[in-house]
Amino acid sequence: MNKTSLTLNQLQLNSSGRVRAITAISPLRHRLLDLGLINDTIVKALHRGPAGDPTAYQIRGAVIALRAEDAACIIIDPVN
Amino acid sequence: MMTKTIALAGNPNTGKSTIFNSLTGLNQHTGNWPGKTVANARGKFIHKGKTFTLVDLPGTYSLLANSLEEEVARDFICHENPDATVIVVDGTCLERNLNLVLQIMTVTPRVIVCVNLMDEAERKGIKIDLNKLEKLLEVPVVGTAARSGIGLEQLLDAIDRVASSRITSKPVRIPALEYRFSADELAAGHESIAASTVAAAEAIVRQVVTIVSQEPHQFDRRLDQILTSRRFGIPIMLALLGVVFWITITGANYPSQLLSNGLFWLEERLSYLFLQLGAPGWLHDLIVLGVYRTLAWVVSVMLPPMAIFFPLFTLLEDLGYLPRVAFNLDYYFKKACAHGKQALTMCMGFGCNAAGVTACRIIDSPRERLIAVITNNFVPCNGRFPTIIALASIFIAASVGILSSVTAALIVLAAIVLGVAITLVVSKELSQTILKGIPSSFILELPPYRKPQIGKVIVRSVLDRTLFVLGRAVAIAAPAGVIIWMMANISVSGQSLLAHSAGFLDPFARMIGLDGYILMAFILGLPANEIVIPILIMSYMAEGTMLELETLAELKQLLINNGWTWLTAVCTMLFSLNHWPCGTTLWTIYKETRSWKWTWVSFLVPTLTGIILCFITAQVVRLLGIV
């Protein structure tokens, strides 16, 4: 893992990250794959729910909401 | 001539059902896939003199069988060999959608790609080169804007061409997908297939999509930032619901009055007819005063609020607001160890709890699905809204004057907030007792907002929901009318059966703030919640038939004469919100769970909750002496 790597739930709003690895196990892992979330995919954090969770992410042109504990299974490198 | 079978596949929220409805019109029927609790809609259409059967497959992101829906879609395409498969994709989100297209193309070459929502894409500054896409995929590609009917002719032509094999489509060639996968191989090789289709989709999109505007989804993002914000998210949600109730309450009064005048005018004609034919008196009473009058009550009380509420609710659905409700509430459902999609099934329950229970199929985890099924009854359905609205109007809001409809709407809103709170508490309790477990993962797509098509919303909500619910209520209310009439008219030792039963229930009913007749009305109302108030009125009048009450003020006087206080009204509203599900819902729960045990649990959980809540309310209020 890169020194600057984060898990997706740590990504600041309005910033983007590149997927390094997905540590989730099936069925979550397969669902993420089906949404096009594979290594090197760019993900942007858009907004959070009223209670601070879940968070909506932009993934391949679609907006997908993930709970913090599910997003924690996705390791990313921040990109500018 | 043989009928050609056409499969219709696509991601959720791509306008797939709009295309299905436009092509087949009213010529469709729905059911379940054999042995599975997945809805199956089929329709017929004729094009150039040929008959086609269109099979609407469940909306899925993938064919790789994560869920029952995907299994159904995959098995149909792999094993039923449709003459052609139409894959509907969202033009504003082509890349993700192409994933499914490429997966399907690994199992069949007979594919038509329908790029829908071209109008939305254009508005957002997303340009798609359809010719290039067709060249790259080597299958017919048709651009449509199904909501405005654009491109449907071309789509029909393409279906005809592929289905009659006048053109031979060659499947796309992607290195990792060089050979056709069998269904089992598809499931086994999930990871590598997904990786290669995603990469291929990315490469294709780079060549065919040009984004003209700076930020194509800017409007949606701004709207989301308000509608789901920490400060405004929940208040806006409550305000929208409140406005919907207010419009329903205010708007329903006038047509309700008209309808009831009309129906009771018809009753007089019916009575006259019976008299002319020389029918025996008991038959007239049974049919006209028993069956017909019950039906008239149900129709005039239920139809106007439903005809207003359902289109308004469908409008919110059509806008794309419901996924935002699930997004806003997910945190609380997570805390209750339940699934985020339970917020959606709960919303369906506002219309009809039986529909809400059926909707629980969208939850994959069996444990969380059961929680959603058992707690669905805690939100009031349309059959219970009239009871809550009427009691709120006459006992609490009437004294406020011109603001009464606003107050009534606020009370209904409060009832719903209470219902949601109870849903969360009971879900949590169930998760810690008989349905132990941790919440499963939750992925929710927030689709783009769409401009609702008001005309179509009204037509579809009236056809699909209003008439469906009303038809069911009428079918149930007619035999119930006979039973109620008989109970009220058959006397044993000088008292009607109804009075005997009510007397028996009275001591217990008083403990929970009701009286014997109210509890009896709820029990007799098991077939359909909407007849609870009519039965009650009939019992109080002791005339043996349901009476027509011209105004709500007369109803209030009747209730007060029978010893009602505001506490009785509050407890009746509470019990209406929390008691056994109606007969149809119970039957649906049995069909969905295939278990009498869970059907009984679904019966007992809300009933016990209601008894406990009413008991505490009644005892505390009496102890404090404020009634």
Side-chain angles (χ1 to χ4, degrees):
Chain A
M1 208 199 286
N2 203 308
K3 227 191 289 175
T4 54
S5 292
L6 304 168
T7 52
L8 185 57
N9 58 318
Q10 297 168 322
L11 185 66
Q12 296 278 317
L13 289 188
N14 292 316
S15 45
S16 302
R18 183 188 298 273
V19 176
R20 280 257 124 200
I22 299 170
T23 58
I25 50 162
S26 199
L28 176 62
R29 184 182 187 85
H30 283 170
R31 289 193 188 290
L32 294 171
L33 288 175
D34 293 340
L35 294 172
L37 201 80
I38 58 170
N39 285 354
D40 287 331
T41 305
I42 303 286
V43 179
K44 185 179 178 192
L46 297 175
H47 53 92
R48 298 191 205 285
D53 186 50
T55 304
Y57 300 96
Q58 184 162 308
I59 302 172
R60 295 193 183 270
V63 180
I64 307 291
L66 297 174
R67 287 174 173 174
E69 48 275 45
D70 295 337
C73 301
I74 299 163
I75 297 163
I76 52 152
D77 282 340
V79 289
N80 296 320
Chain B
M1 191 170 54
M2 283 274 289
T3 303
K4 302 270 188 197
T5 305
I6 312 297
L8 188 64
N11 283 186
N13 306 309
T14 51
K16 194 163 71 71
S17 45
T18 312
I19 292 200
F20 181 75
N21 289 329
S22 321
L23 293 188
T24 60
L26 296 176
N27 201 354
Q28 43 179 268
H29 65 100
T30 49
N32 275 358
W33 291 87
K36 296 204 169 76
T37 50
V38 176
N40 171 6
R42 281 163 197 258
K44 280 197 190 324
F45 64 89
I46 295 174
H47 183 65
K48 292 187 177 161
K50 288 175 223 163
T51 313
F52 296 87
T53 301
L54 191 62
V55 180
D56 191 14
L57 299 177
T60 58
Y61 292 113
S62 152
L63 273 196
L64 303 176
N66 285 318
S67 66
L68 219 50
E69 282 81 13
E70 288 168 26
E71 199 180 305
V72 163
R74 189 196 66 191
D75 286 353
F76 191 84
I77 295 174
C78 290
H79 303 312
E80 306 280 319
N81 295 319
D83 295 294
T85 301
V86 177
I87 309 164
V88 184
V89 300
D90 179 350
T92 66
C93 177
L94 193 61
E95 185 174 343
R96 214 274 311 290
N97 280 254
L98 275 182
N99 221 346
L100 179 70
V101 173
L102 295 171
Q103 279 184 19
I104 292 177
M105 287 176 60
T106 63
V107 288
T108 172
R110 310 175 71 82
V111 162
I112 301 116
V113 175
C114 167
V115 184
N116 193 28
L117 303 165
M118 286 297 281
D119 47 348
E120 301 258 344
E122 194 180 339
R123 201 173 308 142
K124 290 184 169 176
I126 301 170
K127 280 200 172 147
I128 304 166
D129 185 344
L130 295 176
N131 291 331
K132 187 96 177 248
L133 184 61
E134 189 165 276
K135 270 197 202 102
L136 288 171
L137 292 175
E138 296 185 58
V139 297
V141 171
V142 182
T144 57
R147 286 172 164 235
S148 337
I150 295 167
L152 294 177
E153 261 322 291
Q154 290 91 312
L155 179 62
L156 287 171
D157 287 341
I159 292 173
D160 182 34
R161 286 205 309 273
V162 173
S164 44
S165 288
R166 254 184 276 141
I167 55 164
T168 40
S169 318
K170 278 175 287 174
V172 68
R173 287 200 183 79
I174 301 161
L177 302 175
E178 270 293 276
Y179 74 103
R180 298 276 155 68
F181 288 93
S182 72
D184 290 341
E185 285 169 319
L186 261 182
H190 198 149
E191 200 120 341
S192 66
I193 296 171
S196 49
T197 51
V198 169
E202 193 181 324
I204 293 171
V205 163
R206 215 175 288 140
Q207 296 180 65
V208 300
V209 176
T210 332
I211 293 174
V212 190
S213 84
Q214 272 276 298
E215 170 49 284
H217 302 286
Q218 194 177 34
F219 175 74
D220 295 69
R221 297 295 76 79
R222 288 221 176 122
L223 207 51
D224 268 345
Q225 264 156 16
I226 300 166
L227 293 181
T228 66
S229 65
R230 191 177 287 261
R231 194 174 297 169
F232 301 116
I234 305 245
I236 288 177
M237 199 172 75
L238 291 175
L240 273 174
L241 258 183
V243 168
V244 167
F245 292 132
W246 181 77
I247 296 176
T248 307
I249 291 170
T250 327
N253 274 332
Y254 185 66
S256 213
Q257 197 75 57
L258 266 182
L259 212 55
S260 101
N261 288 345
L263 288 168
F264 288 115
W265 173 83
L266 194 64
E267 185 194 295
E268 282 172 30
R269 302 297 102 192
L270 264 177
S271 288
Y272 182 71
L273 186 72
F274 269 74
L275 210 67
Q276 289 291 302
L277 293 174
W282 65 266
L283 187 67
H284 165 265
D285 289 0
L286 180 70
I287 301 289
V288 178
L289 302 183
V291 177
Y292 180 82
R293 196 171 270 190
T294 311
L295 287 181
W297 253 102
V298 172
V299 172
S300 62
V301 170
M302 274 185 75
L303 183 60
M306 277 199 323
I308 298 173
F309 179 82
F310 278 141
L312 287 175
F313 195 76
T314 315
L315 211 63
L316 286 181
E317 211 177 348
D318 212 42
L319 265 168
Y321 184 64
L322 292 194
R324 273 78 190 177
V325 172
F327 181 78
N328 283 343
L329 293 177
D330 178 60
Y331 177 81
Y332 307 100
F333 280 97
K334 184 174 85 179
K335 286 279 161 218
C337 294
H339 200 281
K341 285 184 188 161
Q342 195 176 325
L344 293 176
T345 62
M346 194 178 74
C347 287
M348 287 298 293
F350 286 134
C352 166
N353 292 126
V357 167
T358 310
C360 294
R361 292 168 177 182
I362 60 172
I363 299 170
D364 290 325
S365 138
R367 181 188 77 86
E368 288 163 345
R369 190 182 318 134
L370 271 174
I371 292 178
V373 166
I374 295 167
T375 56
N376 192 270
N377 199 48
F378 288 119
V379 290
C381 65
N382 250 278
R384 290 184 278 165
F385 272 128
T387 308
I388 297 175
I389 291 172
L391 294 180
S393 307
I394 61 180
F395 268 92
I396 302 161
S399 47
V400 208
I402 45 164
L403 284 176
S404 64
S405 62
V406 175
T407 315
L410 285 176
I411 289 163
V412 178
L413 193 60
I416 281 167
V417 172
L418 180 68
V420 174
I422 295 171
T423 300
L424 290 169
V425 171
V426 172
S427 297
K428 176 100 192 171
E429 285 302 312
L430 288 171
S431 297
Q432 287 173 342
T433 52
I434 51 175
L435 285 165
K436 270 203 181 81
I438 48 155
S440 68
S441 59
F442 168 64
I443 293 176
L444 176 76
E445 179 169 10
L446 299 178
Y449 292 95
R450 315 248 193 250
K451 210 170 81 189
Q453 294 228 294
I454 295 171
K456 280 190 188 147
V457 161
I458 293 174
V459 171
R460 288 234 77 86
S461 62
V462 167
L463 284 180
D464 293 352
R465 294 191 173 163
T466 311
L467 290 184
F468 170 77
V469 176
L470 191 72
R472 201 199 73 210
V474 166
I476 287 166
V482 175
I483 295 171
I484 294 159
W485 184 86
M486 292 199 311
M487 283 191 74
N489 285 280
I490 297 175
S491 293
V492 179
S493 47
Q495 255 194 326
S496 71
L497 280 178
L498 198 64
H500 275 297
S501 316
F504 171 77
L505 291 171
D506 203 61
F508 173 73
R510 298 249 171 226
M511 273 176 17
I512 56 173
L514 309 175
D515 68 28
Y517 283 105
I518 305 173
L519 193 53
M520 194 65 213
F522 276 112
I523 293 171
L524 288 175
L526 175 73
N529 280 301
E530 38 283 280
I531 54 176
V532 168
I533 288 282
I535 296 174
L536 187 61
I537 294 167
M538 188 191 70
S539 324
Y540 282 151
M541 309 291 286
E543 283 218 6
T545 47
M546 296 187 200
L547 273 213
E548 40 184 316
L549 288 172
E550 290 292 324
T551 61
L552 283 178
E554 285 176 45
L555 179 58
K556 182 179 187 179
Q557 200 49 52
L558 175 75
L559 296 178
I560 288 175
N561 291 346
N562 280 280
W564 277 54
T565 62
W566 64 266
L567 176 64
T568 325
V570 166
C571 285
T572 307
M573 279 157 67
L574 276 177
F575 201 70
S576 176
L577 192 62
N578 306 284
H579 72 291
W580 48 85
C582 74
T584 316
T585 305
L586 284 171
W587 178 239
T588 309
I589 292 173
Y590 174 71
K591 278 200 306 192
E592 294 292 314
T593 60
R594 294 261 153 230
S595 148
W596 286 113
K597 178 187 157 196
W598 293 116
T599 311
W600 272 105
V601 170
S602 308
F603 179 92
L604 287 172
V605 166
T607 306
L608 291 176
T609 309
I611 290 174
I612 294 168
L613 268 180
C614 288
F615 179 79
I616 294 173
T617 309
Q619 298 305 322
V620 166
V621 168
R622 282 176 194 152
L623 214 65
L624 295 176
I626 50 177
V627 67

